[in-house]
Amino acid sequence: MTGLTAAPGSPSDAGLVHSALGGDVASFSALLDRYRASLYARALAYLGRPEDAADAVQETFLLALTRLGQVRDPGAVGGWLHAVLRSVCAMELRSRIGRVTVAEIDADVPAAQDAVGQLALRDWVWAALEDLPEPLRLVTLLRFFGGGHSYAEIAQLCGVPVGTVRSRLHQAKAELGARLLAESGTAPRGDAGWAQRVRASYLALAGRDPDPYAAMFALDAEIAASGLVVRGRDQVRAMCEHDLDDGIGTRLVDVVGSAAITVIESKFVNPLDDPQHCPPAVTQVLFHDGTDQVRRSLGYFHPRPTRA
Protein backbone atom coordinates (compact mmCIF):
# COMPACT_ATOMS: atom_id res chain seq x y z
CA MET A 1 0.00 0.00 0.00
CA THR A 2 1.42 3.41 -0.98
CA GLY A 3 -1.30 5.87 -0.03
CA LEU A 4 -2.01 6.77 3.58
CA THR A 5 -4.87 8.83 4.95
CA ALA A 6 -3.76 11.79 7.01
CA ALA A 7 -5.01 11.83 10.59
CA PRO A 8 -7.94 14.21 11.25
CA GLY A 9 -6.64 17.74 11.56
CA SER A 10 -3.28 16.88 9.95
CA PRO A 11 -2.10 18.55 6.73
CA SER A 12 -2.75 16.64 3.52
CA ASP A 13 0.11 15.15 1.53
CA ALA A 14 -0.33 17.86 -1.08
CA GLY A 15 -0.26 20.54 1.60
CA LEU A 16 2.98 19.17 3.04
CA VAL A 17 4.57 19.00 -0.42
CA HIS A 18 3.64 22.60 -1.23
CA SER A 19 4.95 23.80 2.13
CA ALA A 20 8.19 21.85 1.70
CA LEU A 21 8.68 23.33 -1.78
CA GLY A 22 8.26 26.72 -0.13
CA GLY A 23 11.27 25.96 2.06
CA ASP A 24 9.53 24.55 5.17
CA VAL A 25 11.73 21.67 6.31
CA ALA A 26 9.30 20.75 9.11
CA SER A 27 6.65 19.91 6.47
CA PHE A 28 9.14 17.79 4.55
CA SER A 29 10.06 16.02 7.78
CA ALA A 30 6.40 15.35 8.57
CA LEU A 31 5.85 13.96 5.06
CA LEU A 32 8.77 11.55 5.38
CA ASP A 33 7.69 10.44 8.84
CA ARG A 34 4.16 9.79 7.55
CA TYR A 35 5.50 7.25 5.03
CA ARG A 36 8.49 5.91 6.96
CA ALA A 37 6.80 2.73 8.24
CA SER A 38 5.26 1.77 4.88
CA LEU A 39 8.53 2.43 3.08
CA TYR A 40 10.44 0.31 5.59
CA ALA A 41 7.91 -2.52 5.30
CA ARG A 42 8.21 -2.53 1.51
CA ALA A 43 12.01 -2.36 1.63
CA LEU A 44 12.11 -5.26 4.10
CA ALA A 45 9.94 -7.32 1.75
CA TYR A 46 12.28 -6.54 -1.15
CA LEU A 47 15.65 -6.90 0.57
CA GLY A 48 15.05 -9.25 3.52
CA ARG A 49 17.63 -7.75 5.88
CA PRO A 50 16.55 -4.99 8.30
CA GLU A 51 19.84 -3.13 7.98
CA ASP A 52 19.53 -3.03 4.18
CA ALA A 53 15.89 -1.96 4.42
CA ALA A 54 16.76 0.89 6.80
CA ASP A 55 19.54 2.05 4.48
CA ALA A 56 17.18 1.99 1.48
CA VAL A 57 14.68 4.16 3.33
CA GLN A 58 17.39 6.66 4.25
CA GLU A 59 18.52 6.81 0.61
CA THR A 60 14.92 7.34 -0.47
CA PHE A 61 14.72 10.29 1.94
CA LEU A 62 17.79 11.95 0.41
CA LEU A 63 16.64 11.31 -3.15
CA ALA A 64 13.27 12.82 -2.23
CA LEU A 65 15.09 15.86 -0.85
CA THR A 66 16.81 16.43 -4.20
CA ARG A 67 13.80 15.66 -6.42
CA LEU A 68 10.66 16.78 -4.61
CA GLY A 69 10.18 19.62 -7.09
CA GLN A 70 9.70 17.05 -9.85
CA VAL A 71 6.59 15.49 -8.27
CA ARG A 72 3.81 16.04 -10.79
CA ASP A 73 0.90 15.27 -8.47
CA PRO A 74 1.60 16.37 -4.88
CA GLY A 75 -1.46 14.46 -3.68
CA ALA A 76 0.11 11.22 -4.94
CA VAL A 77 3.52 11.79 -3.36
CA GLY A 78 3.20 8.51 -1.44
CA GLY A 79 3.23 6.52 -4.68
CA TRP A 80 6.16 8.61 -5.90
CA LEU A 81 8.16 7.87 -2.73
CA HIS A 82 7.50 4.15 -3.17
CA ALA A 83 8.66 4.37 -6.81
CA VAL A 84 11.92 5.91 -5.62
CA LEU A 85 12.25 3.15 -3.01
CA ARG A 86 11.70 0.43 -5.61
CA SER A 87 14.52 1.87 -7.69
CA VAL A 88 16.83 1.99 -4.68
CA CYS A 89 16.01 -1.61 -3.75
CA ALA A 90 16.47 -2.79 -7.34
CA MET A 91 19.92 -1.20 -7.36
CA GLU A 92 20.82 -2.95 -4.11
CA LEU A 93 19.65 -6.31 -5.43
CA ARG A 94 21.68 -5.82 -8.62
CA SER A 95 24.74 -4.95 -6.57
CA ARG A 96 24.50 -8.30 -4.79
CA ILE A 97 25.00 -10.12 -8.09
CA GLY A 98 27.50 -7.64 -9.53
CA ARG A 99 25.25 -6.08 -12.16
CA VAL A 100 25.28 -2.43 -11.12
CA THR A 101 26.15 -0.15 -14.04
CA VAL A 102 27.06 3.52 -14.12
CA ALA A 103 23.35 4.26 -14.68
CA GLU A 104 22.46 3.00 -11.22
CA ILE A 105 19.17 4.83 -10.82
CA ASP A 106 16.27 3.46 -12.87
CA ALA A 107 14.80 5.52 -15.66
CA ASP A 108 11.41 5.76 -13.91
CA VAL A 109 12.97 8.06 -11.28
CA PRO A 110 13.90 11.53 -12.63
CA ALA A 111 17.53 12.64 -12.64
CA ALA A 112 18.93 14.50 -9.65
CA GLN A 113 19.29 18.28 -9.59
CA ASP A 114 22.74 19.46 -10.69
CA ALA A 115 23.37 21.78 -7.73
CA VAL A 116 22.39 22.22 -4.12
CA GLY A 117 21.57 25.83 -4.90
CA GLN A 118 18.54 24.76 -6.94
CA LEU A 119 16.88 22.99 -4.02
CA ALA A 120 13.90 24.49 -2.19
CA LEU A 121 15.50 23.49 1.13
CA ARG A 122 19.02 24.56 0.09
CA ASP A 123 19.72 26.51 3.31
CA TRP A 124 18.92 23.47 5.42
CA VAL A 125 20.92 21.21 3.10
CA TRP A 126 24.03 23.37 3.25
CA ALA A 127 23.86 23.57 7.05
CA ALA A 128 23.35 19.81 7.38
CA LEU A 129 26.19 19.01 4.99
CA GLU A 130 28.57 21.35 6.81
CA ASP A 131 27.97 19.37 10.00
CA LEU A 132 29.21 16.16 8.36
CA PRO A 133 32.92 15.24 8.50
CA GLU A 134 34.62 16.12 5.23
CA PRO A 135 34.92 12.51 3.89
CA LEU A 136 31.17 11.96 4.44
CA ARG A 137 30.28 15.38 3.02
CA LEU A 138 32.25 14.74 -0.17
CA VAL A 139 30.70 11.36 -1.04
CA THR A 140 27.23 12.71 -0.24
CA LEU A 141 27.65 15.71 -2.53
CA LEU A 142 28.90 13.52 -5.36
CA ARG A 143 26.19 10.90 -4.93
CA PHE A 144 23.07 12.96 -4.23
CA PHE A 145 23.73 16.59 -5.10
CA GLY A 146 25.91 16.32 -8.18
CA GLY A 147 25.25 14.27 -11.27
CA GLY A 148 24.37 11.12 -9.37
CA HIS A 149 27.83 9.59 -9.68
CA SER A 150 28.20 5.82 -9.38
CA TYR A 151 30.05 4.21 -6.48
CA ALA A 152 32.92 3.36 -8.82
CA GLU A 153 33.20 6.95 -10.03
CA ILE A 154 33.14 8.32 -6.49
CA ALA A 155 35.78 5.78 -5.42
CA GLN A 156 38.04 6.93 -8.26
CA LEU A 157 37.51 10.61 -7.47
CA CYS A 158 38.19 10.12 -3.75
CA GLY A 159 41.01 7.61 -4.16
CA VAL A 160 39.39 5.00 -1.90
CA PRO A 161 37.93 1.49 -2.45
CA VAL A 162 34.27 1.14 -3.44
CA GLY A 163 33.59 -0.52 -0.07
CA THR A 164 34.80 2.62 1.70
CA VAL A 165 32.45 4.73 -0.43
CA ARG A 166 29.51 2.52 0.51
CA SER A 167 30.44 2.67 4.19
CA ARG A 168 30.76 6.47 4.17
CA LEU A 169 27.48 6.88 2.32
CA HIS A 170 25.74 4.55 4.77
CA GLN A 171 26.92 6.67 7.70
CA ALA A 172 26.04 9.95 5.98
CA LYS A 173 22.56 8.76 5.02
CA ALA A 174 21.85 7.66 8.58
CA GLU A 175 22.98 11.00 10.02
CA LEU A 176 21.13 13.16 7.48
CA GLY A 177 18.01 11.00 7.64
CA ALA A 178 17.87 11.23 11.42
CA ARG A 179 18.35 14.98 11.24
CA LEU A 180 15.56 15.32 8.68
CA LEU A 181 13.09 13.42 10.85
CA ALA A 182 14.09 15.43 13.92
CA GLU A 183 13.20 18.72 12.22
CA SER A 184 9.48 18.34 12.89
CA GLY A 185 8.54 18.36 16.55
CA THR A 186 4.97 17.59 15.53
CA ALA A 187 5.67 14.94 12.90
CA PRO A 188 3.04 12.19 13.16
CA ARG A 189 4.30 8.90 14.59
CA GLY A 190 1.17 6.90 13.87
CA ASP A 191 -1.75 6.26 16.22
CA ALA A 192 -0.50 6.84 19.77
CA GLY A 193 -3.27 4.65 21.18
CA TRP A 194 -2.26 1.77 18.93
CA ALA A 195 1.42 2.11 19.86
CA GLN A 196 0.44 2.06 23.53
CA ARG A 197 -1.59 -1.08 22.92
CA VAL A 198 1.43 -2.76 21.31
CA ARG A 199 3.65 -1.82 24.24
CA ALA A 200 1.03 -3.01 26.74
CA SER A 201 0.80 -6.37 24.96
CA TYR A 202 4.54 -6.91 25.38
CA LEU A 203 4.33 -5.99 29.04
CA ALA A 204 1.58 -8.60 29.38
CA LEU A 205 3.78 -11.18 27.64
CA ALA A 206 6.51 -10.40 30.15
CA GLY A 207 3.93 -11.16 32.83
CA ARG A 208 3.10 -14.48 31.11
CA ASP A 209 -0.26 -13.34 29.72
CA PRO A 210 -0.43 -13.85 25.91
CA ASP A 211 -4.04 -12.70 25.50
CA PRO A 212 -3.45 -8.94 24.88
CA TYR A 213 -0.86 -9.76 22.21
CA ALA A 214 -3.04 -12.37 20.49
CA ALA A 215 -6.05 -10.03 20.63
CA MET A 216 -4.27 -7.59 18.29
CA PHE A 217 -4.62 -10.13 15.46
CA ALA A 218 -7.75 -10.80 13.41
CA LEU A 219 -9.31 -14.24 13.63
CA ASP A 220 -8.01 -15.07 10.12
CA ALA A 221 -4.70 -13.21 10.32
CA GLU A 222 -1.67 -14.60 8.50
CA ILE A 223 1.75 -14.29 10.13
CA ALA A 224 4.87 -15.16 8.14
CA ALA A 225 8.43 -14.97 9.45
CA SER A 226 11.55 -16.38 7.78
CA GLY A 227 9.67 -19.30 6.23
CA LEU A 228 7.41 -19.96 9.25
CA VAL A 229 3.71 -19.32 8.60
CA VAL A 230 1.04 -19.12 11.31
CA ARG A 231 -2.64 -18.58 10.48
CA GLY A 232 -5.31 -17.29 12.80
CA ARG A 233 -5.45 -15.65 16.23
CA ASP A 234 -5.73 -18.98 18.02
CA GLN A 235 -2.46 -20.14 16.48
CA VAL A 236 -0.79 -16.89 17.50
CA ARG A 237 -1.89 -17.46 21.09
CA ALA A 238 -0.76 -21.09 20.97
CA MET A 239 2.66 -20.02 19.67
CA CYS A 240 3.01 -17.50 22.51
CA GLU A 241 1.95 -20.07 25.10
CA HIS A 242 4.46 -22.58 23.72
CA ASP A 243 7.27 -20.02 24.03
CA LEU A 244 6.23 -19.14 27.57
CA ASP A 245 6.15 -22.81 28.54
CA ASP A 246 9.70 -23.13 27.16
CA GLY A 247 10.82 -20.20 29.31
CA ILE A 248 11.24 -17.78 26.38
CA GLY A 249 10.88 -14.09 27.12
CA THR A 250 10.45 -11.15 24.73
CA ARG A 251 11.75 -7.62 25.24
CA LEU A 252 10.31 -4.77 23.18
CA VAL A 253 12.98 -2.50 21.65
CA ASP A 254 11.02 -0.06 19.48
CA VAL A 255 7.65 0.59 17.84
CA VAL A 256 7.43 2.72 14.67
CA GLY A 257 4.05 3.07 13.04
CA SER A 258 1.71 4.87 10.72
CA ALA A 259 -2.07 4.74 10.47
CA ALA A 260 -1.97 1.38 8.68
CA ILE A 261 1.44 -0.22 9.25
CA THR A 262 3.51 -0.80 12.39
CA VAL A 263 7.12 -1.99 12.61
CA ILE A 264 8.16 -3.69 15.85
CA GLU A 265 11.72 -4.44 16.89
CA SER A 266 12.07 -6.90 19.77
CA LYS A 267 14.61 -9.25 21.33
CA PHE A 268 14.19 -12.80 22.61
CA VAL A 269 15.33 -13.70 26.10
CA ASN A 270 16.32 -17.36 26.12
CA PRO A 271 16.44 -19.51 29.27
CA LEU A 272 19.84 -19.96 30.87
CA ASP A 273 19.84 -23.69 30.22
CA ASP A 274 19.04 -23.23 26.51
CA PRO A 275 20.65 -19.96 25.33
CA GLN A 276 20.35 -20.87 21.62
CA HIS A 277 16.65 -21.73 21.70
CA CYS A 278 15.50 -18.64 19.75
CA PRO A 279 17.30 -16.18 17.46
CA PRO A 280 18.52 -13.03 19.20
CA ALA A 281 15.87 -10.69 17.79
CA VAL A 282 12.95 -10.32 15.39
CA THR A 283 11.59 -7.50 13.23
CA GLN A 284 7.83 -7.61 12.67
CA VAL A 285 5.77 -5.57 10.20
CA LEU A 286 2.07 -5.46 11.13
CA PHE A 287 -0.49 -4.50 8.48
CA HIS A 288 -3.70 -3.28 10.10
CA ASP A 289 -5.10 -0.87 7.48
CA GLY A 290 -6.11 1.72 10.03
CA THR A 291 -8.18 -0.77 12.05
CA ASP A 292 -7.60 -2.15 15.54
CA GLN A 293 -6.68 -5.62 14.30
CA VAL A 294 -3.71 -6.99 12.37
CA ARG A 295 -4.69 -8.71 9.13
CA ARG A 296 -1.20 -9.69 8.00
CA SER A 297 2.28 -9.73 9.48
CA LEU A 298 5.75 -10.20 8.02
CA GLY A 299 8.72 -11.07 10.19
CA TYR A 300 12.47 -11.44 10.00
CA PHE A 301 14.46 -13.43 12.56
CA HIS A 302 17.89 -11.86 13.02
CA PRO A 303 20.71 -14.40 12.59
CA ARG A 304 22.88 -15.42 15.52
CA PRO A 305 26.30 -13.77 15.62
CA THR A 306 28.98 -15.78 13.83
CA ARG A 307 31.45 -17.25 16.25
CA ALA A 308 35.10 -16.42 15.65
Side-chain angles (χ1 to χ4, degrees):
M1 185 182 71
T2 56
L4 300 178
T5 302
S10 299
S12 66
D13 282 359
L16 290 175
V17 170
H18 288 306
S19 295
L21 291 175
D24 182 10
V25 68
S27 293
F28 186 66
S29 169
L31 181 68
L32 296 181
D33 199 66
R34 179 173 291 176
Y35 283 93
R36 177 167 50 146
S38 63
L39 289 168
Y40 180 82
R42 186 62 59 86
L44 188 64
Y46 282 139
L47 303 176
R49 295 195 292 253
E51 60 272 20
D52 290 343
D55 189 72
V57 172
Q58 300 288 9
E59 180 150 351
T60 298
F61 285 178
L62 292 188
L63 291 173
L65 179 64
T66 65
R67 305 171 186 191
L68 190 65
Q70 299 168 10
V71 175
R72 296 175 181 175
D73 180 2
V77 69
W80 180 82
L81 286 169
H82 276 265
V84 174
L85 178 82
R86 284 196 299 272
S87 180
V88 170
C89 291
M91 183 180 65
E92 170 61 25
L93 291 172
R94 290 200 304 273
S95 74
R96 294 180 184 179
I97 56 176
R99 294 181 182 174
V100 176
T101 65
V102 173
E104 289 179 330
I105 299 176
D106 289 348
D108 62 339
V109 180
Q113 298 286 352
D114 290 334
V116 181
Q118 295 175 300
L119 301 176
L121 301 176
R122 58 186 178 275
D123 292 340
W124 182 92
V125 170
W126 277 123
L129 288 173
E130 285 301 318
D131 285 343
L132 291 177
E134 184 175 293
L136 304 189
R137 187 189 321 149
L138 178 57
V139 296
T140 304
L141 281 168
L142 289 171
R143 177 66 173 167
F144 296 102
F145 303 105
H149 295 283
S150 70
Y151 293 137
E153 290 169 339
I154 296 172
Q156 185 173 6
L157 285 166
C158 296
V160 297
V162 170
T164 300
V165 172
R166 292 179 67 92
S167 176
R168 290 177 181 177
L169 281 170
H170 175 80
Q171 185 178 348
K173 284 184 286 186
E175 292 189 22
L176 290 175
R179 180 163 177 169
L180 270 172
L181 291 174
E183 289 291 342
S184 175
T186 58
R189 292 295 302 268
D191 189 313
W194 173 259
Q196 290 174 0
R197 183 180 177 190
V198 171
R199 294 182 185 278
S201 73
Y202 275 81
L203 286 174
L205 277 176
R208 303 189 59 78
D209 179 7
D211 286 344
Y213 180 83
M216 293 194 301
F217 293 85
L219 289 173
D220 58 350
E222 179 176 288
I223 299 89
S226 300
L228 173 68
V229 178
V230 174
R231 292 183 173 86
R233 181 191 299 167
D234 290 342
Q235 289 300 312
V236 172
R237 181 186 289 106
M239 180 177 62
C240 291
E241 291 174 345
H242 185 272
D243 284 347
L244 291 172
D245 289 343
D246 285 345
I248 308 300
T250 306
R251 181 168 65 84
L252 183 65
V253 176
D254 195 18
V255 179
V256 177
S258 67
I261 299 174
T262 300
V263 179
I264 299 173
E265 304 283 356
S266 61
K267 293 184 176 182
F268 290 110
V269 181
N270 288 316
L272 295 177
D273 60 350
D274 190 7
Q276 300 298 313
H277 190 287
C278 286
V282 61
T283 298
Q284 285 179 281
V285 182
L286 309 181
F287 298 87
H288 41 92
D289 299 328
T291 70
D292 61 354
Q293 288 191 328
V294 177
R295 302 291 176 182
R296 183 166 63 95
S297 172
L298 298 176
Y300 172 85
F301 291 116
H302 297 232
R304 296 181 177 88
T306 302
R307 292 184 179 180

